[in-house]
Amino acid sequence: MADRTTRSTPPPPQWAELPTDCLVHVFRRLDLDELASAAPLGCRGWRRAAADPSLWRALDLRRDHLARFMPWGALAGALSRLHGVHRFTLAGFLRLCVARAAGTVADLALPPLLSSSELDHVAAECPALRRLALPALPPADDARLPSLLPRWRRLTHLELDSKPSSFPAVAAALALHCPDLAVLRVTSGSVKPEDAAAMAAASPLRGRLRSLCLDRCYLPRQELLAILAGCGGAAPLREFTARFCVGFDDKDEEVLARGAAIERFDIGGSRLLDEPDGDATNGDDYCDTSYVDVNCYSLNTFDFLFLLYI
């Protein structure tokens, strides 16, 4: 029998030997917590890949925003050990994520109880934002929001957990400095006549918007009709939602007629008076049923413990 020449099969490449772009592709499947605390522990190649700015362009920091950074939290502990600090806070995590993105953050959702310094940091270090979700801001930051918007000239999508008391100035700043804005979401607060005017056809902002969401707001019927009256024209809204609002009836015939021309028009669950029926709200969804702007901070158990701790 003739001798057979055996060919040895080379061993598969080790993880550490994978090209950086391959590791970056794999790391895209990790969430921010794993990317920040676990991926850098593998080797120098892993640390290099985990620091790639493309992995940090979309940052959603709203999930368990305080629970993860309690002193006993697993993530806080892992980051403290990794970076050699006594305590790693949510503010530190925000700064770490923004620094890793190196000015390329395009999609950012910020948590409640954000400090003024962190808001300023985001304004300075995230000029490429296209989507931004802001929590309810304290009065001082609410008032200066219009002065921060010029930093984010590429915005196409803005989500506000609470309508700013300075909304007309916010609308004017958006119209002047954010020419690509197409989506505006305001998910609580009282819509006043001046706010409705800022969303209507006479406002430069209205000509830009394609989607407007006012879910769970206090929205009187006359303000809603004023907004809908401006939804036509050369650049009509394609989507308008005002679900579970207080101030008008979702079966109002005039309101339905005004909204019939909008491609997606949804006002389901809205009613004239705030009378929770158990299906839509639990009584905590509205700041107020008057024209008084109230900053509503719903503190859960973790928020309360955090405030006690600091």
Side-chain angles (χ1 to χ4, degrees):
M1 181 180 292
D3 292 336
R4 293 182 177 177
T5 303
T6 60
R7 296 180 180 178
S8 59
T9 302
Q14 300 298 311
W15 276 96
E17 298 173 0
L18 286 177
T20 299
D21 57 345
C22 292
L23 285 172
V24 168
H25 182 72
V26 173
F27 287 171
R28 292 191 197 285
R29 292 166 170 76
L30 302 178
D31 62 26
L32 282 179
D33 294 4
E34 296 169 324
L35 191 60
S37 63
L41 297 178
C43 60
R44 281 182 294 181
W46 281 36
R47 286 195 295 274
R48 183 169 55 251
D52 189 284
S54 67
L55 296 173
W56 303 86
R57 289 175 183 164
L59 306 175
D60 189 341
L61 304 178
R62 294 172 295 189
R63 181 175 63 87
D64 299 332
H65 59 284
L66 294 179
R68 294 179 298 153
F69 291 95
M70 289 294 181
W72 55 83
L75 177 61
L79 290 170
S80 295
R81 291 188 296 272
L82 180 62
H83 296 278
V85 297
H86 173 66
R87 183 182 172 211
F88 209 95
T89 64
L90 174 60
F93 188 60
L94 169 61
R95 288 177 176 266
L96 171 67
C97 293
V98 169
R100 291 282 175 83
T104 66
V105 178
D107 189 340
L108 177 63
L110 293 170
L113 302 177
L114 190 72
S115 71
S116 295
S117 62
E118 301 314 319
L119 187 60
D120 287 335
H121 185 72
V122 167
E125 301 298 327
C126 301
L129 280 179
R130 298 186 66 81
R131 296 171 60 93
L132 175 63
L134 287 174
L137 299 173
D141 290 333
D142 179 296
R144 67 193 187 93
L145 180 58
S147 67
L148 296 176
L149 290 171
R151 303 285 190 95
W152 301 311
R153 294 177 178 271
R154 301 182 187 179
L155 275 184
T156 62
H157 181 120
L158 178 61
E159 181 176 338
L160 303 170
D161 279 358
S162 180
K163 183 194 71 67
S165 59
S166 58
F167 183 81
V170 167
L174 288 170
L176 181 62
H177 300 290
C178 304
D180 297 325
L181 187 73
V183 179
L184 177 63
R185 297 176 58 85
V186 182
T187 52
S188 73
S190 300
V191 178
K192 303 178 183 181
E194 57 266 31
D195 302 324
M199 302 176 195
S203 167
L205 175 63
R206 247 297 297 125
R208 313 278 177 81
L209 292 179
R210 295 296 175 269
S211 176
L212 177 61
C213 168
L214 299 175
D215 293 349
R216 301 182 184 277
C217 287
Y218 173 60
L219 180 58
R221 181 177 184 271
Q222 61 268 26
E223 271 63 82
L224 173 59
L225 290 174
I227 294 170
L228 293 177
C231 287
L237 280 176
R238 296 175 184 171
E239 178 181 45
F240 178 87
T241 67
R243 297 168 295 184
F244 305 115
C245 289
V246 170
F248 68 93
D249 192 318
D250 62 2
K251 297 179 178 59
D252 187 298
E253 293 184 359
E254 185 176 358
V255 170
L256 293 172
R258 292 278 183 93
I262 300 175
E263 185 175 327
R264 179 173 182 257
F265 182 72
D266 188 353
I267 57 173
S270 294
R271 50 185 173 264
L272 186 62
L273 300 176
D274 189 2
E275 297 176 352
D277 57 12
D279 294 330
T281 73
N282 60 7
D284 296 327
D285 290 322
Y286 305 104
C287 285
D288 193 11
T289 55
S290 69
Y291 279 136
V292 178
D293 278 328
V294 178
N295 287 292
C296 297
Y297 297 98
S298 300
L299 296 182
N300 59 28
T301 302
F302 290 117
D303 297 334
F304 181 71
L305 289 173
F306 175 77
L307 292 175
L308 287 179
Y309 182 80
I310 61 173

